[in-house]
Structure formats: C-alpha cells, structure tokens
Amino acid sequence: MINDTVVELSRWQFAATALYHFLFVPLTLGLTVFLAALETVYVVTGKPIYKEMTQFWAKLLLINFALGVATGLTMEFEFGTNWSFYSGFVGDIFGAPLAVEGLMAFFMESTMIGLMIFGWDRLSRGQHLIVTYLVALGSNLSALWILVANGFMQDPQGAVFNPVTMRMELESFTALIFSHDAQAKFVHTSIAGYVTAAIFVAGVSAFYLLRKRHMELAKRSFRMATIFGVLSTIGVITLGDALGFVGAHAQPAKIAAMEAMWKTEEAPAPFNLMAWPNQEKQENSWAIQIPYLLTPLLTHTMDTKIPGIAEIEASNALRIKSGIQAVEALKILSSNPSDAAAMAQFKAHEQDLGYGFLVKRYAPEQDVSKATDADIALAAKDTIPDVFAIYWTFRIMVGFAFLMLAFFIFGVIYSLRNDVENHPLFLRFSLWLIPVPFLACEMGWLTAELGRQPWTVYNLLPTWMSASSHSVSYMVFSLIGFVSLYSIFIIIEMYLMVRAIKQGPDDHHAVQKQDKNTSSGGSVLGGNYAPVHAKTLVNEQSKEV
Amino acid sequence: MDLYLGLKVLWWLLLGVLLLGLAVMVGMDMGVGALLRIIGKTDLERRSMLNAIGPHWDGNQVWFILGGGAIFAAFPLIYATAFSGLYVVMLLLLWSMIMRPLAFEYRSKIPTEGWRNIADWVFLISGALPMIIYGAAMGNMLQGVPFHFDWDLRSYYTGSFISLFNPFAILAGLLSLALAMYMGATMMVIKTEGVLAERARAAGSFAILVAIVLFAIGGVWISMMPGFVLTHSVDPALAQTPLTQTVELVKGGLLANYKAMPILWVIPVIGFAGMIIGGLLLRAHRPAIAWWFGVLAWVGVLGATAISLFPFLMPSSTNPSQSLTIWNSISSETTLLWMTGFSAVFVPLILWYTSWAFYVMRGKVDAGKIEKDPHAY
C-alpha cells in the first residue's frame, strides 16, 4: 500500500534538494564559459590583467563548484533512494543519459578543473586555455544530458512499455536525445546560467567600483559581463518562447495553467497579463486581459485552438476509464506473460496505461479494478496541476528576465561610454540585482516541474506511484538530515564567498612589479597574497573593506 | 552467442570495472582522508597530504557518480531496490560524501585551528565511513538482503537498519577500509617526503597486513555460509523479471562456482598475491609498483565476491525466488548497446586524460609552495 504522507514528504525532499542544487548549477554553467572567454582574451592579447581576472573569477567559481558537486551527488542517488518505483519503471531510458553525463561530461569537467586551478605553472598558455575550454564544455554537456533526462519526464519520446519486463524500455536513443522539449530546455537552461554569471560578475564588479578598489579589473569585468549578459538574456527569452511553443503540443495542461486559461476560447484567445486563479471554482477571481494576444504568442499562428483546463480535464476522464483496462490486463500478464487474451486487452488500452495508474490513489484498497465513477472524477481533477503556483512562478521568472535585459542594456551603454563608475545608483542597483537571476532560475524550475504534475513521466507514470515504500519515520529522518546539513553548508558557502569577494584579487600592480623582478611570468600567485597563517594580515584586509 | 546474453555478461564485467575504479580511485582518496589525522601531525603535513591528492580527488570522485549512473542505466532494478532498501546506509554514505568536497575546498580558506580541526574530522569520517559501507554492502549482498516485490515490481525492504551491520558485513567493511588505507598510504609515500612518507609507509604496511588476515577469515567464513542457487529460471538470454524463477538456499552454495570451475580459484589467489607482494614492495621502497599491486588486490577481492554470487547480484533473504540476478535486473538490449558504444569511446578517453592529469601534476608535493599558494588546499 502506498502512503500519502510518504509520497508528500518524498516530494518535498526532492524539491528541496533539487532547488538547492539548482542554486549552484547556473552560476557554474555561466562562469566556466565566462572564464573561457576571459582566458581567450588573455592568450590573444597577452595582457596580464586578463590572467588576473581569470584567476580571480576562477577562485569564486571554485567555492560555488564545490557545493554544486556535493549537492549533485544527492540528486544522482535520490532517484534510487526515494523514487525507486520510478527508477525501476523508466531506468532503462532515464538512467542512460545520467550515465552518459558522467562518462562524457562530468568526468572531464572534474578532472580538468583540478588542472585549471593547479596547472598554471605546469601547462603552456595554450594547454591551459584548452583545459579551461574543456571545463566549460564539460559543464555545459553535463547540462545537456541532465536535460535530456528531464526532457523524457516532460515529453517521453523514444520509449515503449514492455509487458514482459513490466517497464518502459528504450526504443530510439535518437528520438530521446532529439526530443524538442529536451533541446529547447537545454539551450534555455544553459543560457539562463550565462545570464546568472553575467549578473554575478557585474554585481561583484560594481561592488569594487563603488569602493574604488581594483578599478581596472572591475571595469573590464563589468564591460565583458554586460555584453555577455545582453546577448544571453535575449537568448534566454527567445528559447523560453520556443519552449512554450513545444509545450503547447506536448503538455497542454501545463500551458493552460501557465496562462490561467480555464475555458477553451475562440482563437485568437486573449492573454491574461495579470490574473488571480482560483482552482476550486476553476476561474480567475480577476484578470487583466490583452485581447487576441495569447494565440499568436503561443502557437505563432492566429487561428490554432488552445484547449482550456475544463476541456482537458473532461477528456482525461475518458482516458482513465480506458487505462483501468490496461492495468487489469497487466496484472494478469505479470504472473503469466503468455496469456493471449490479457495481452490483447493490454495492447488495446496501452496508450492509456498511465491514466489507469492515476486512479490507484483513489480506488478502494488501491485496486484500480474497484474504482468507482467518483474515484475516476477525482483522478481526472488531479490531471490539472496547481494553476495559481504555475501561473505566478512563470510570471515572476519572465518579469525578472525583462528586468535583467533592461539592466544589461543600460550597463552596456554606460560601460562603452566608459563612465559607469560615475553612476553610483546604477552600481548599487547592480549589486542588489545579484539574487535575481538565481530566483528566476528557481522559478523556472518550479514552473516546469509543478506544471508536469501529477506525473513524474508525462502521461505515463503518476508521481504518487513513483516514490519508494519507506516509513514516515525514515522520511522524517532524511528530511531533517538534509535540511540541517544543507543549512550549515549554505552558511559556510555564503561566508566564504563574501569573504573571498571582500578580499578581492591579488593586487595587480604588486604582481606586475614582481613579474618584472623575477620575470618568471607564471607567478601571479606570488608573495603579496596573505599567507594563510598570517591571521593579522587577513584581519587588516577585511577591516580595510 | 546470443547478442543480448553477450551484452548482459559484458555489462556484468563492466559493472565490475566500475566498482573497481571506484574502489581504487575513490578508495585511495578516502584512505588518505582516514589517515589524515593519524600520519599527519602538523597542519602543514596534513596540507601536504591533501594537496598530494588535491588536483585529482575531484576527478576520482566521479567514479562514484559514474558508478551510480551506470548501475541506474544498466541495472535499473538493482539501483532501485538496493538504494531504497539500504536507505539509511545510503544516506549516511551520501552525507559523508557530500561533506568531503566541502572539507577539501573550504578547509584551508579559513586559517583558524578550530575550523581546520573540524575539517580534519570530516575527512576522517568521510574517508572511513564510505569505505566501511562499501564493503558492508558487498558483505550484505553475499548473505542476501530482506526484500520482496509486488506484482508490479514495487519493492519492499523489510529488514532494519542495524541488521545491515551484522558481523560478516562489518568484516567486509573493515577489509575494504584496510585496502583503501593501504592505497592511500602508498600514494602518500609516492607524493611526500621525509618523516611523513616514513609514517605513511608504516601505516600502509600495517593496513595491508590487516587486509590479508581479514580476507583469509572472510574466505573461511564464506565456505560455511549458505548460498543461493537458481533451480528454475527463464533462459538467461531472454528478457525477464524476478517474478518468474525459483531459488533455493544451499549450504556452501557460495563456493559452488569454484567447485564447478576450479580454475576460478586463481582470482582469490591474485587477491592474496597482490596484498602480500604489494606490502613487501612498499617496505622495499618501491611505492609506485606497490600501488599497482594494490589494484591487483582489489581485483582479487571484488572478483572473488562476484564469482561467489554469480549469477546473482542481490539475492533476497526473505523471498529467495525474487532474488535479483544479472539476467533479470539488467536493461534492455537497445539501452545496453548504446551504453556499450558510449563506454567504448569515453572510458579509454577518461583513462587517457586522467593519466595525463597525473602526469602533469607528477612529482613530490612542495610544502613551501603550499604555504604561498592561495589556491592550495
């Protein structure tokens, strides 16, 4: 028997650990690419300031990277520990991109990042540049494979159910990786990471510009970040639009929720600029509408019909009835795979199998063959995700994206005019903007994954069935463990990050002098950096801040 | 031979390679962590040890991640059943593994003694505990784990957390820790100098002695334990679930494969040889070759375990007929084919650039440089 509380706690734990992990991922994705760009400039121009910039931002990257890796371990294991039915049911497909991610991407990223940090003296300029490129390539390829896996959950392509092994099995690997959802989401997510890094670099640089410290490094970083940011934000918005276009076909319920569209409207449908959705009554308490806008926005045509929530729910009730037949047949097949009648019944209703599973939650004794019409109606209601949460997380994300776009445009203008340091208000604003891309990323994750409900794999496997059969006390134990450990981690991480930023890069002029003296070229790490044991020196530096 | 059957056997072997990579590379770093407080007496000595593995631990740790991913992809039912069944143990493993990267990155960033002491304890726990759990998990597989399935393959674990730490599992856990400490100590002899290297040599010699004794006791113990035997099953070449077979417990069953094919005794002998010769070489100041004999020791230990279990991977002690075997827990032919393709390209590539990274960072750790380098661990 499946326990509601255990499922609920498993969901909270997964959401908490995934959202936490996703605090560190975007910055790594973007900062590695930004470092590759910086180091390229260094190798091409030979100016030591760019090496100093590369090393400084790499130092901050590493603080972030450690937590990204650590919390990523949790994700890799959580499917097995907490979503074991899911893992057994789709592991044949879902496991492959995760394994390939390790083989192709993460291994390279992790091996190369060690060389990137420690290899300055041991590698030639060209070799070190390649190493940095490979770190950036690795982190982005990593995102590709993770989002291929996620794309399968959103829009399962290339897989078929095998009644002999009682699980989904891979049919076409190319269909899996070239799923439109996966591709659009990969680009959207990676570029969101670039935006995050751009805001982060611009914000930290603004901090130095405000304090009149490390001016040279800060100005150059600010300029590069804002240019990088304008391009990335335009990209993230474009791909977000593409993702909506893809979603309109694969996940109509998610799209209807994102737009709070309860009833099917005549095309072209109006766009709910602002609305207050009420799930109980299936209507918006109030809404500010722009007529005709939604249809072209979503479908890129004027006359395609977009189904409303009520219509989607009604059609799902029919699929549940059909799905019950599939589940009943499957139960017979599990002990006798050669039963021809059961196989025929299963084949006839196979496409609705997942909908049959949906009613298990409400059926007496969790046996779908005993489900009543009232149970089916409850299950059909379940097929509509939380409209209010999805509508608003989506709007906050989009609002933040346009806010950042505006910021980057001004930032580029100021820094190309070379007078950004004369706009203290703007600099202060860029400092305060640092949390915004992180929040936008989290909101995007929430929109995508809340919009996927009630499924773990869209139309195939309900979330409610996917969790492991643990006891409530196990779940409480693990939740408390994760929350307390992760809280300690974030405190340490924030402390170190702020400390490293306040400490700043090694003093540029001192380094240049030393370079002249020793003419060793590679020792930017040289003497004037505070030795770790010299507590007093470190304290003085922080007082100076 | 049938293609699917061939792929099944191949992935069983590859699973072994992964578990070996994990044991050797992650185990080595874990061993260093566990030894940190024992052979590193001063802060600088400890930093020397950390920096010796500093450029590589990140890459090495991916063996652990890859292990998880590959089991997920190739043996989804093992991944699902084992990871959820051993829930508390997996969480302890995970939490200690999570703390390690942070201890690495953050230890030397704060120059107070209290902070570094905390970090050193984290290294000790996150080094010793995962290796004990790694070995104990293998020990539990040999004895069978209390789980069963529903008709739809939903798995239920019915044992307690404590029962996973039974005497035999603890023995296996300590063996795994001893081998890891040997590998870590050997690497320290290679990478450090003077008194630190001498202490590492002594620690490594002691660890391998313990490992030899534990491996011998384990062997005798296994000969007296009941083992699982498939009495009725679907053709291994066919797709199947663990719901369509019967399994019986037979005394001495864990040695059945050795009795059927005596040549297999070579594998545990290789294990003993690796340990004994490795230990002697370490004493004879040949740490680099001694390290490679440590790899051989791991091959012997893991190989002997795999042969005892074959064709089982995770037998059920409460419902033996639902035991997970290579044949019924593996992925589909299509998935295995793709995974084989990716592995054929990327595993050699990984081995190549890992070796290159070790080559670039070759030589002894320079304690003087650590003091000056702000990026040093």
Side-chain angles (χ1 to χ4, degrees):
Chain A
M1 296 291 268
I2 300 170
N3 181 326
D4 274 344
T5 317
V6 170
V7 176
E8 202 57 28
L9 292 175
S10 304
R11 289 187 64 195
W12 276 100
Q13 181 175 307
F14 194 89
T17 49
L19 283 170
Y20 189 91
H21 176 56
F22 203 47
L23 281 175
F24 309 100
V25 173
L27 187 58
T28 299
L29 279 175
L31 217 45
T32 50
V33 173
F34 188 70
L35 283 176
L38 275 178
E39 198 174 332
T40 308
V41 177
Y42 166 62
V43 171
V44 171
T45 65
K47 287 185 188 165
I49 177 79
Y50 285 101
K51 181 175 177 183
E52 195 190 331
M53 283 159 73
T54 311
Q55 289 186 327
F56 172 64
W57 295 112
K59 187 164 85 177
L60 300 191
L61 167 71
L62 212 64
I63 295 176
N64 180 68
F65 185 75
L67 258 185
V69 173
T71 55
L73 280 174
T74 304
M75 305 321 300
E76 176 98 15
F77 286 80
E78 209 167 9
F79 294 105
T81 52
N82 289 87
W83 300 93
S84 59
F85 189 79
Y86 169 89
S87 302
F89 193 78
V90 294
D92 191 67
I93 306 117
F94 190 83
L98 293 194
V100 175
E101 186 259 350
L103 274 173
M104 182 191 279
F106 193 60
F107 228 121
M108 182 166 77
E109 184 187 1
S110 301
T111 306
M112 293 303 158
I113 204 162
L115 287 182
M116 182 174 98
I117 302 297
F118 293 95
W120 281 103
D121 300 338
R122 295 184 179 236
L123 296 166
S124 71
R125 273 188 197 182
Q127 279 177 326
H128 194 278
L129 182 65
I130 291 171
V131 164
T132 307
Y133 278 170
L134 290 178
V135 172
L137 180 69
S139 70
N140 281 270
L141 277 178
S142 216
L144 171 68
W145 289 105
I146 296 303
L147 289 164
V148 164
N150 180 266
F152 177 75
M153 301 171 81
Q154 307 286 351
D155 179 17
Q157 296 287 326
V160 65
F161 187 83
N162 182 350
V164 175
T165 48
M166 307 271 292
R167 65 179 181 196
M168 297 297 299
E169 290 187 352
L170 185 65
E171 196 181 35
S172 161
F173 196 73
T174 45
L176 173 71
I177 53 178
F178 293 114
S179 137
H180 292 305
D181 186 275
Q183 293 301 315
K185 193 171 276 166
F186 159 59
V187 185
H188 181 66
T189 310
S190 308
I191 303 182
Y194 305 169
V195 176
T196 308
I199 293 273
F200 178 80
V201 172
V204 173
S205 305
F207 170 77
Y208 293 136
L209 292 172
L210 280 167
R211 302 288 164 106
K212 310 271 183 237
R213 291 172 54 196
H214 318 295
M215 294 295 277
E216 182 71 12
L217 176 139
K219 270 205 248 177
R220 284 176 196 266
S221 299
F222 192 90
R223 186 181 308 149
M224 277 188 74
T226 46
I227 295 171
F228 188 58
V230 163
L231 299 175
S232 307
T233 316
I234 293 170
V236 97
I237 292 171
T238 314
L239 262 297
D241 170 69
L243 205 49
F245 184 72
V246 172
H249 298 281
Q251 300 175 305
K254 178 194 273 182
I255 297 297
M258 279 159 73
E259 304 299 348
M261 201 172 126
W262 297 102
K263 307 236 161 9
T264 310
E265 311 253 3
E266 286 295 313
F271 175 66
N272 287 321
L273 185 66
M274 290 282 165
W276 201 259
N278 181 331
Q279 188 113 8
E280 199 69 30
K281 293 187 189 154
Q282 296 218 342
E283 61 178 35
N284 296 324
S285 304
W286 53 264
I288 305 169
Q289 291 192 322
I290 304 176
Y292 309 134
L293 186 60
L294 184 62
T295 305
L297 210 55
L298 214 52
T299 66
H300 302 178
T301 66
M302 284 310 283
D303 51 5
T304 313
K305 197 181 81 170
I306 304 167
I309 285 164
E311 186 181 328
I312 295 170
E313 188 181 315
S315 69
N316 284 344
L318 297 174
R319 293 193 70 177
I320 292 172
K321 281 186 185 154
S322 156
I324 290 172
Q325 306 274 318
V327 177
E328 283 174 336
L330 193 60
K331 192 168 180 178
I332 298 168
L333 289 172
S334 80
S335 51
N336 182 10
S338 49
D339 188 316
M343 187 59 95
Q345 182 179 339
F346 177 78
K347 284 287 167 203
H349 297 278
E350 187 182 358
Q351 76 282 1
D352 295 321
L353 176 66
Y355 284 84
F357 285 147
L358 265 184
V359 80
K360 187 175 163 84
R361 178 176 188 179
Y362 298 102
E365 294 158 44
Q366 299 184 0
D367 181 350
V368 297
S369 54
K370 294 179 183 156
T372 63
D373 282 349
D375 300 331
I376 292 172
L378 281 173
K381 227 181 183 54
D382 258 4
T383 59
I384 304 307
D386 184 338
V387 177
F388 186 88
I390 295 162
Y391 181 85
W392 280 105
T393 49
F394 175 60
R395 267 177 181 54
I396 294 171
M397 174 187 75
V398 173
F400 279 164
F402 282 100
L403 174 71
M404 289 186 282
L405 181 63
F407 164 78
F408 281 129
I409 291 172
F410 280 103
V412 169
I413 294 171
Y414 287 146
S415 60
L416 286 182
R417 277 208 237 126
N418 208 9
D419 70 343
V420 67
E421 64 270 33
N422 302 329
H423 298 272
L425 218 61
F426 183 74
L427 289 175
R428 195 146 308 176
F429 180 65
S430 32
L431 187 55
W432 286 110
L433 213 56
I434 291 179
V436 166
F438 294 92
L439 281 174
C441 287
E442 302 279 283
M443 290 297 150
W445 187 88
L446 283 170
T447 308
E449 309 309 321
L450 283 175
R452 195 191 65 229
Q453 301 306 325
W455 308 100
T456 39
V457 183
Y458 215 73
N459 288 346
L460 280 175
L461 183 66
T463 308
W464 187 79
M465 270 184 71
S466 306
S468 305
S469 331
H470 290 311
S471 62
V472 175
S473 54
Y474 265 28
M475 287 311 304
V476 171
F477 165 75
S478 59
L479 255 173
I480 291 176
F482 275 115
V483 169
S484 30
L485 267 183
Y486 278 21
S487 307
I488 298 170
F489 292 168
I490 195 90
I491 292 168
I492 300 174
E493 205 258 2
M494 294 297 283
Y495 168 73
L496 286 170
M497 189 62 101
V498 170
R499 189 167 165 277
I501 290 170
K502 283 188 173 168
Q503 228 168 41
D506 318 335
D507 194 313
H508 175 49
H509 301 291
V511 170
Q512 273 193 329
K513 257 182 260 160
Q514 194 212 352
D515 266 8
K516 266 180 213 153
N517 292 342
T518 61
S519 71
S520 66
S523 63
V524 175
L525 312 174
N528 94 309
Y529 188 91
V532 187
H533 292 296
K535 292 180 201 171
T536 46
L537 189 52
V538 175
N539 287 340
E540 271 170 22
Q541 278 197 350
S542 17
K543 266 179 222 154
E544 179 196 337
V545 171
Chain B
M1 191 158 64
D2 180 81
L3 174 65
Y4 192 24
L5 184 60
L7 284 169
K8 284 181 173 184
V9 174
L10 174 70
W11 273 91
W12 177 66
L13 292 171
L14 284 176
L15 178 68
V17 171
L18 266 170
L19 290 175
L20 178 69
L22 206 164
V24 170
M25 303 305 276
V26 183
M28 166 177 73
D29 294 349
M30 297 274 172
V32 173
L35 288 169
L36 190 64
R37 294 188 64 89
I38 300 168
I39 63 176
K41 301 292 184 196
T42 67
D43 184 55
L44 194 59
E45 282 176 2
R46 289 178 188 170
R47 291 190 73 189
S48 296
M49 293 172 71
L50 292 177
N51 279 283
I53 52 170
H56 311 297
W57 73 269
D58 221 333
N60 290 347
Q61 177 150 297
V62 185
W63 282 102
F64 181 71
I65 296 170
L66 193 59
I71 294 176
F72 197 173
F75 297 94
L77 217 46
I78 295 281
Y79 174 80
T81 315
F83 284 34
S84 63
L86 313 181
Y87 191 59
V88 178
V89 179
M90 289 308 295
L91 285 176
L92 293 178
L93 176 69
L94 186 64
W95 289 339
S96 51
M97 292 290 291
I98 293 179
M99 290 196 288
R100 216 167 62 100
L102 302 179
F104 259 113
E105 295 303 344
Y106 300 160
R107 180 188 186 278
S108 297
K109 297 238 169 1
I110 300 176
T112 66
E113 209 185 314
W115 170 256
R116 291 191 175 173
N117 255 322
I118 294 175
D120 292 345
W121 278 107
V122 170
F123 274 114
L124 179 72
I125 295 167
S126 67
L129 190 63
M131 288 322 286
I132 291 175
I133 290 176
Y134 179 87
M138 303 282 170
N140 273 298
M141 296 302 153
L142 283 164
Q143 301 171 87
V145 179
F147 71 90
H148 63 269
F149 291 105
D150 251 356
W151 70 268
D152 57 0
L153 292 183
R154 175 177 299 279
S155 69
Y156 295 90
Y157 174 79
T158 51
S160 73
F161 156 63
I162 294 299
S163 68
L164 293 171
F165 289 96
N166 51 68
F168 182 76
I170 291 173
L171 174 106
L174 292 177
L175 171 59
S176 140
L177 178 62
L179 283 175
M181 285 174 120
Y182 168 77
M183 295 299 275
T186 310
M187 187 47 86
M188 286 304 101
V189 179
I190 298 173
K191 294 294 263 187
T192 65
E193 296 165 304
V195 58
L196 184 57
E198 277 316 308
R199 277 189 227 127
R201 193 189 318 281
S205 312
F206 179 70
I208 204 67
L209 208 63
V210 172
I212 293 168
V213 173
L214 291 177
F215 192 42
I217 298 175
V220 176
W221 202 328
I222 276 180
S223 70
M224 297 185 292
M225 268 162 48
F228 298 81
V229 177
L230 265 178
T231 49
H232 167 79
S233 67
V234 183
D235 178 358
L238 295 177
Q240 54 195 286
T241 66
L243 305 177
T244 49
Q245 62 184 8
T246 48
V247 173
E248 275 172 26
L249 267 172
V250 177
K251 202 165 172 353
L254 289 172
L255 295 184
N257 289 324
Y258 292 99
K259 279 173 194 148
M261 278 180 77
I263 181 76
L264 292 172
W265 285 108
V266 166
I267 300 291
V269 169
I270 285 177
F272 276 116
M275 293 181 211
I276 295 165
I277 301 173
L280 292 174
L281 284 166
L282 184 62
R283 295 207 70 82
H285 296 263
R286 304 294 296 275
I289 314 175
W291 190 88
W292 282 102
F293 272 91
V295 176
L296 221 52
W298 270 118
V299 171
V301 172
L302 289 172
T305 310
I307 292 168
S308 279
L309 278 170
F310 182 90
F312 293 94
L313 289 172
M314 183 176 174
S316 164
S317 56
T318 46
N319 191 345
S321 288
Q322 291 189 343
S323 291
L324 292 171
T325 64
I326 305 165
W327 323 128
N328 65 27
S329 65
I330 203 160
S331 284
S332 68
E333 189 175 316
T334 316
T335 301
L336 292 180
L337 268 178
W338 277 99
M339 293 290 299
T340 308
F342 276 106
S343 307
V345 175
F346 286 101
V347 171
L349 211 57
I350 289 170
L351 294 176
W352 173 71
Y353 63 59
T354 304
S355 323
W356 182 66
F358 272 91
Y359 171 76
V360 168
M361 303 308 298
R362 68 193 176 280
K364 302 269 183 194
V365 176
D366 182 347
K369 254 192 176 161
I370 293 172
E371 294 254 74
K372 283 195 217 118
D373 184 350
H375 291 287
Y377 286 119

